[in-house]
Amino acid sequence: MEPLTEKAVRAAFINCSKGEASRLRLPTDFPATPWGDLDFLGWTDPTAPQRSLLVLPRADGPVGVLLRGTSGQPAGTVRSSMCQICLTAHDLSGVRLLVAPRAGAAGRAGNSVGLYFCADLKCSLYLRGIRRPARRLVRHTESLTLEQRIERALANLDDFVAKVAAP
């Protein structure tokens, strides 16, 4: 991913007002972001742990989505779960359902789209093996190359963002 400025990040959001985007907290380590290891920028607001954000590169400029986390544990006795973006298996605390208000009138009417993400939004680092899921002794291997896994993750993310942006 190409490095982004704070101004570009704030201007990228499609499902919140410009005022909300101007008040969002960037990652505390934003100046030291490892851009070369990222396929998209994702973080949890350090002052509001139920608010997460992601910005992904597009040919016509970055697109940002404001997300909110759900509270509590999922129903059932599931002990592990999988991120629907990068397909990394985590213990239950490593995956979060994040919900994005839809852009425009649909979002103002309360419509939203949700997906299970790595709780820390570090999918790019899990794909590259730079970060490993906590308490997972067995890691499933895939026959896909790193480039193919990255393409799949970005396609999954593009599908999600398209649902958020759909009128």
Side-chain angles (χ1 to χ4, degrees):
M1 181 174 184
E2 294 294 321
L4 296 173
T5 64
E6 178 179 342
K7 184 178 179 179
V9 168
R10 292 185 187 286
F13 287 92
I14 61 171
N15 65 338
C16 67
S17 70
K18 289 181 181 182
E20 286 175 297
S22 70
R23 292 185 298 274
L24 296 174
R25 301 279 184 175
L26 292 179
T28 54
D29 60 348
F30 184 73
T33 301
W35 298 104
D37 293 329
L38 299 181
D39 305 303
F40 68 92
L41 178 63
W43 74 99
T44 299
D45 186 329
T47 61
Q50 291 299 323
R51 183 183 311 138
S52 295
L53 307 103
L54 61 90
V55 178
L56 64 145
R58 291 264 175 93
D60 56 345
V63 173
V65 177
L66 174 67
L67 305 153
R68 65 179 180 274
T70 58
S71 58
Q73 296 292 336
T77 58
V78 177
R79 294 183 186 263
S80 65
S81 194
M82 183 177 286
C83 171
Q84 290 179 283
I85 298 298
C86 65
L87 304 185
T88 298
H90 293 270
D91 71 351
L92 189 57
S93 65
V95 174
R96 267 177 77 183
L97 175 61
L98 295 175
V99 177
R102 298 207 28 219
R108 289 188 296 277
N111 295 323
S112 60
V113 180
L115 203 63
Y116 286 96
F117 285 84
C118 292
D120 58 7
L121 294 170
K122 302 296 184 199
C123 298
S124 300
L125 302 181
Y126 291 113
L127 285 171
R128 289 168 173 74
I130 295 171
R131 192 173 202 136
R132 297 205 180 267
R135 297 186 291 273
R136 295 292 298 188
L137 300 176
V138 177
R139 182 181 169 120
H140 300 285
T141 57
E142 292 188 83
S143 59
L144 297 177
T145 65
L146 174 60
E147 290 76 23
Q148 291 169 323
R149 291 186 314 229
I150 291 170
E151 285 177 28
R152 179 185 61 202
L154 289 175
N156 292 340
L157 195 54
D158 281 337
D159 288 345
F160 177 73
V161 171
K163 290 175 186 171
V164 172

